[in-house]
Amino acid sequence: MIDYLVKTKTFFSDAITITIQLRVQCFVRSLGLSLVMLHRENVAIMSKNSEVAKIFREIAFILQTAEEKKSEPNTIFKIRSYNRAAEEIQNLSSDIGDIYEKEQLKGLLKIPSIGKAIATKLEEYITTGKIHYYDELKEKLPVDVSQFFGLEGIGPKTIKMLYDNLGIKNISDLEKAALEGKIKTVPGFSQKKEELILKKIQFFRKDGGRRLIGEIYPLVRRIEKRLSGNTGVKQAVAVGSFRRMKETIGDIDFLVSVMSEEDGDNIIDYFVNMPEVNEISGRGLSKAFVKLNNGIDADLLVVPEESFGAAMQYFTGSKEHGVAMRKIAISKGLRLNEWGVFDKQNCRVAGATEEGVYQILGLEWIPPEMRENRGEIELAKIGKNGMEKEEEKVRLPQLIAYDDLKGDLQVHSNNTDGTMSIEDMALNARDKFGLSYIAISDHTKSLRLTNGLDENQLLNQANTIAELNDKIKMNNNNKHFRILSSAEVNILKDGSLDISNNVLDKLDIVGAAIHSHFSLPIELQTARLVSAAQNPSIDIIFHPTGRIINRREGYPINISKLIEVANESNTILEIDAHYDRLDLKDEFIRMAVENNVKLVIDSDAHHPLHYAFLIFGIGQARRGWAKKGDILNTLSAKGLLDSLK
Ligand code: DGT
Ligand code: CA
Ligand code: CA
Ligand code: ZN
């Protein structure tokens, strides 16, 4: 982290020297502009969503230690409530402080999954900055439990044991104890468990410092919007890996263009004083680095309007894409940097827009999600004399657009582990998210934890859905909406299903997924998925690799084999858009697309707000070069059903 900051800072200060000369020319013109007052938002209460979500997760975690469980009978319920509340608050698009300011407790109670007890704790936190109950729990277990959240398999009970026996309070303590061979001396721990712990720490260290895009998305959009609204700001945009829709984000990069140097100073002032800022790490003439309350770093770079396109291109990255672009510039006798494209005489020949930058290098504009230097630049080259290339194959693909989805095929209801009725899930999909169909894909009976449905319950649910469809139609003739009957059928250890085919065949569309036996060897694991895909009743394989980003690597599978079988059997592979899954991931999506396998993008919604996750699935699909035609839920419900096996 430190290395990274130092590196970024030197990199910026080098750039500054070139800039100053340019800035002088640039701003001479704007000197005549009148002085404008900086518009500053009136935010009295800090943005606390992430902090409070973290506290609630910690409470849930501590409650899971054995001792607590014994003393309180309804603890399991409480644990679930705190975890759910944490998730909702984390994903809320408005600040809980603002909600409270407007409507007090009543407002807090409107947040999904927030009941009286939790709302009161929220109120306590908003008004006093503390939660007494949390402090009490922490006293009993003074461990930095949040450090262990990402470590699959090292749960609350393990942590409690390790604290009681070895006084382990954080990840460094844990790693040290494991390296010194102390873990295996604790009762109930083995050499094998010790090795597993070390492995998990290493996996976590590799990627764990990065945030999931869905965790920070609302925050980034909110800041972006507020930056744009400042007087003197022409354009404001979040760039970097965020704009490329990477599944995890190292730090957030904001880019702003302004009309005068004065405006530049003002916006930097505004940025470092935002309520979300915890600490200012650095500040310069045209840049600032801060650490936000939720622990992530954010950079701001301010450029004059005529450089905005070049800076966007530069700071969107990826670095590899940028390096390749600069080589092309050199081959054309030009120089490309974050301030523009310059000719031999050092005159700026492009830079105000990104399109202009790509164009002068003889390239079509490349969507940010593709900018990883994985062959996209070659495809973007425009033919001789500016003629477009004829052959479709060697052109940039027309990626699926963010508003192309018509339906969502993995939606859960409160008949199993969802939180809302089928009707509410449907009406929200239609009215708040503009979808024209959803499939209710509740879990099936062998997944007991979720109250999975048996054959009869599934058939009953299909009947209820038919009735609901009539009801919805009667109430709303002009909006077409359809609920499809479906299921997320559990794939058993041997690859068979827990629901018989004659029942599945009565449903509109059926998905299957693996939820257990994750550690089978790759051949057996692949065989399970292959046999599900070859099952004539299965239309979709849900979250095919089972990964949870930053927490668990997928189970081992031979993805090429699955793709081959999916193609032969006309089975759809899912892109689960829930931001902690994004499964399939970008490189597998690209493999599927290249092999003509059809895909769908589903939110895996357990609450109507989760439909918002669809954008992360679309982002991932675009990173995998998927076109509209590759994604079947861009079709109408009828079109989709007609294309099933
Ligand atoms: P992250 O923050 O790790 O999720 O990934 P990025 O891509 O946002 O990387 P970051 O924040 O270090 O820098 C933002 C962009 O700025 C990056 O995508 C490309 C550009 N950039 C940063 N450092 C360098 C560099 O040393 N050389 C070049 N060519 N470009 C750089
Ligand atoms: Ca970044
Ligand atoms: Ca950065
Ligand atoms: Zn599932």
Side-chain angles (χ1 to χ4, degrees):
M1 187 53 94
I2 299 287
D3 274 2
Y4 163 78
L5 263 179
V6 171
K7 183 179 144 268
T8 327
K9 277 185 189 147
T10 25
F11 145 70
F12 271 114
S13 51
D14 288 347
I16 281 295
T17 352
I18 321 168
T19 332
I20 307 245
Q21 304 147 2
L22 290 169
R23 281 173 66 100
V24 172
Q25 306 164 6
C26 298
F27 285 122
V28 168
R29 266 186 291 121
S30 40
L31 283 179
L33 287 174
S34 64
L35 234 173
V36 264
M37 281 299 291
L38 176 67
H39 161 80
R40 174 115 9 125
E41 280 197 8
N42 237 340
V43 194
I45 300 160
M46 304 240 293
S47 154
K48 303 196 179 290
N49 296 21
S50 295
E51 293 165 53
V52 114
K54 179 165 168 266
I55 292 181
F56 282 179
R57 278 203 192 94
E58 287 193 39
I59 292 178
F61 193 94
I62 298 174
L63 286 174
Q64 284 174 69
T65 57
E67 199 178 292
E68 288 299 326
K69 233 179 211 165
K70 255 183 265 149
S71 58
E72 288 189 56
N74 62 353
T75 308
I76 297 189
F77 173 78
K78 265 172 120 172
I79 293 166
R80 257 174 83 171
S81 309
Y82 276 106
N83 273 328
R84 275 197 186 150
E87 176 149 354
E88 291 307 339
I89 293 168
Q90 184 90 56
N91 292 313
L92 224 52
S93 53
S94 26
D95 191 293
I96 50 162
D98 294 344
I99 296 176
Y100 186 75
E101 203 175 15
K102 281 194 204 102
E103 289 194 87
Q104 290 79 47
L105 207 55
K106 211 172 101 224
L108 298 176
L109 282 164
K110 284 186 191 157
I111 305 171
S113 301
I114 305 283
K116 191 83 200 292
I118 291 188
T120 317
K121 302 227 166 37
L122 272 178
E123 179 177 42
E124 185 188 350
Y125 188 74
I126 294 164
T127 53
T128 70
K130 273 178 171 291
I131 296 177
H132 182 65
Y133 177 59
Y134 167 69
D135 293 342
E136 263 178 16
L137 287 173
K138 277 298 265 208
E139 243 168 63
K140 281 189 244 168
L141 190 70
V143 172
D144 190 355
V145 294
S146 63
Q147 285 197 11
F148 298 97
F149 287 167
L151 290 171
E152 250 244 327
I154 306 175
K157 279 171 225 152
T158 306
I159 300 303
K160 176 92 168 73
M161 280 293 279
L162 293 172
Y163 172 72
D164 288 347
N165 285 276
L166 301 171
I168 287 171
K169 283 187 173 176
N170 51 46
I171 291 221
S172 312
D173 290 354
L174 180 66
E175 190 173 24
K176 188 158 167 278
L179 287 170
E180 289 169 356
K182 284 186 186 154
I183 308 270
K184 59 174 176 284
T185 64
V186 176
F189 287 74
S190 59
Q191 173 91 27
K192 206 172 147 210
K193 176 101 190 177
E194 188 170 275
E195 281 162 15
L196 189 78
I197 287 179
L198 268 180
K199 221 176 107 195
K200 293 280 178 186
I201 295 175
Q202 277 151 12
F203 175 67
F204 182 74
R205 284 264 157 83
K206 201 175 76 198
D207 237 11
R210 304 177 60 83
R211 297 306 167 93
L212 307 185
I213 187 162
E215 281 176 359
I216 57 157
Y217 193 89
L219 170 81
V220 174
R221 288 286 181 235
R222 199 164 68 219
I223 295 179
E224 193 180 55
K225 201 163 152 222
R226 291 209 315 258
L227 289 172
S228 312
N230 266 268
T231 312
V233 168
K234 288 299 281 184
Q235 298 163 94
V237 62
V239 285
S241 50
F242 181 86
R243 184 162 176 242
R244 303 200 312 280
M245 288 296 270
K246 268 193 83 162
E247 61 195 38
T248 61
I249 307 296
D251 75 350
I252 309 165
D253 307 282
F254 292 102
L255 175 71
V256 162
S257 69
V258 290
M259 290 181 286
S260 71
E261 199 142 4
E262 181 93 53
D263 292 333
D265 284 346
N266 286 345
I267 193 69
I268 289 178
D269 254 356
Y270 175 84
F271 182 75
V272 301
N273 287 306
M274 291 187 305
E276 290 89 349
V277 172
N278 183 27
E279 183 184 306
I280 304 170
S281 322
R283 179 185 173 148
L285 270 178
S286 59
K287 63 193 193 299
F289 310 99
V290 298
K291 190 177 274 305
L292 301 181
N293 291 330
N294 63 4
I296 196 168
D297 290 323
D299 299 350
L300 172 71
L301 194 86
V302 184
V303 295
E305 278 180 85
E306 50 269 53
S307 290
F308 188 71
M312 230 169 126
Q313 200 286 320
Y314 190 97
F315 291 104
T316 295
S318 67
K319 192 171 155 181
E320 292 73 17
H321 177 91
V323 168
M325 291 276 290
R326 249 163 302 161
K327 278 202 191 119
I328 294 181
I330 290 167
S331 77
K332 294 190 180 300
L334 299 168
R335 198 163 48 83
L336 166 67
N337 60 33
E338 58 271 51
W339 309 105
V341 185
F342 301 88
D343 64 12
K344 288 255 158 57
Q345 285 73 45
N346 224 9
C347 285
R348 190 200 313 265
V349 290
T353 67
E354 253 191 350
E355 285 81 358
V357 170
Y358 280 94
Q359 195 182 19
I360 205 144
L361 301 186
L363 301 171
E364 280 182 71
W365 180 83
I366 301 174
E369 298 89 339
M370 291 182 76
R371 300 184 194 172
E372 300 290 346
N373 197 28
R374 293 182 189 151
E376 73 280 8
I377 294 181
E378 204 42 52
L379 293 188
K381 281 186 183 154
I382 296 168
K384 283 195 193 94
N385 313 323
M387 295 281 285
E388 300 211 321
K389 285 172 290 188
E390 277 156 39
E391 221 191 317
E392 187 63 23
K393 272 221 144 101
V394 292
R395 309 255 333 248
L396 278 173
Q398 272 288 330
L399 303 183
I400 176 179
Y402 283 96
D403 59 359
D404 274 342
L405 291 186
K406 295 209 171 68
D408 188 343
L409 300 172
Q410 201 197 145
V411 173
H412 298 267
S413 80
N414 59 5
N415 290 341
T416 59
D417 65 344
T419 52
M420 287 250 185
S421 69
I422 296 177
E423 186 171 5
D424 285 338
M425 292 304 287
L427 296 179
N428 273 284
R430 185 189 69 186
D431 300 339
K432 302 231 172 81
F433 293 87
L435 296 176
S436 55
Y437 56 95
I438 57 168
I440 297 295
S441 58
D442 273 324
H443 289 287
T444 50
K445 62 185 178 188
S446 59
L447 216 58
R448 294 214 179 76
L449 217 71
T450 64
N451 293 318
L453 307 180
D454 65 18
E455 274 93 348
N456 270 333
Q457 290 168 314
L458 268 177
L459 293 175
N460 284 339
Q461 179 157 299
N463 285 334
T464 313
I465 286 173
E467 285 162 19
L468 274 173
N469 275 327
D470 288 342
K471 182 175 160 194
I472 289 175
K473 213 193 239 154
M474 279 200 312
N475 294 349
N476 227 318
N477 279 326
N478 46 359
K479 280 191 199 167
H480 291 289
F481 190 85
R482 183 162 168 198
I483 311 170
L484 303 176
S485 57
S486 180
E488 177 174 2
V489 184
N490 198 17
I491 302 174
L492 302 172
K493 191 174 175 187
D494 64 356
S496 64
L497 307 174
D498 68 342
I499 301 290
S500 61
N501 282 36
N502 59 350
V503 171
L504 296 181
D505 290 344
K506 298 206 168 69
L507 305 177
D508 290 319
I509 182 166
V510 181
I514 283 180
H515 295 99
S516 59
H517 304 291
F518 292 155
S519 54
L520 289 175
I522 184 162
E523 299 76 28
L524 292 181
Q525 204 65 271
T526 308
R528 284 172 93 188
L529 288 172
V530 164
S531 92
Q534 285 169 339
N535 189 315
S537 302
I538 296 301
D539 302 298
I540 314 174
I541 302 290
F542 285 155
H543 42 76
T545 75
R547 73 157 176 173
I548 309 275
I549 305 170
N550 279 356
R551 290 210 324 258
R552 127 183 140 205
E553 268 169 302
Y555 34 75
I557 62 160
N558 179 342
I559 188 77
S560 319
K561 175 74 187 166
L562 179 64
I563 284 174
E564 184 192 314
V565 173
N567 172 284
E568 287 163 5
S569 61
N570 192 24
T571 307
I572 303 163
L573 299 182
E574 184 193 55
I575 301 168
D576 189 308
H578 196 296
Y579 59 78
D580 68 6
R581 288 192 183 268
L582 295 175
D583 179 10
L584 299 174
K585 65 173 164 186
D586 48 6
E587 61 182 286
F588 294 163
I589 294 169
R590 194 162 157 197
M591 282 170 70
V593 166
E594 279 167 3
N595 288 282
N596 292 314
V597 168
K598 293 301 179 213
L599 302 162
V600 292
I601 300 172
D602 301 332
S603 69
D604 203 348
H606 289 67
H607 185 281
L609 284 176
H610 299 165
Y611 292 126
F613 300 160
L614 287 170
I615 51 168
F616 306 121
I618 301 171
Q620 195 73 187
R622 289 168 61 89
R623 290 182 58 82
W625 298 22
K627 303 172 293 299
K628 185 174 178 182
D630 296 314
I631 310 290
L632 288 187
N633 53 333
T634 59
L635 297 171
S636 65
K638 180 165 187 312
L640 167 81
L641 294 176
D642 285 347
S643 66
L644 300 179
K645 61 166 93 156

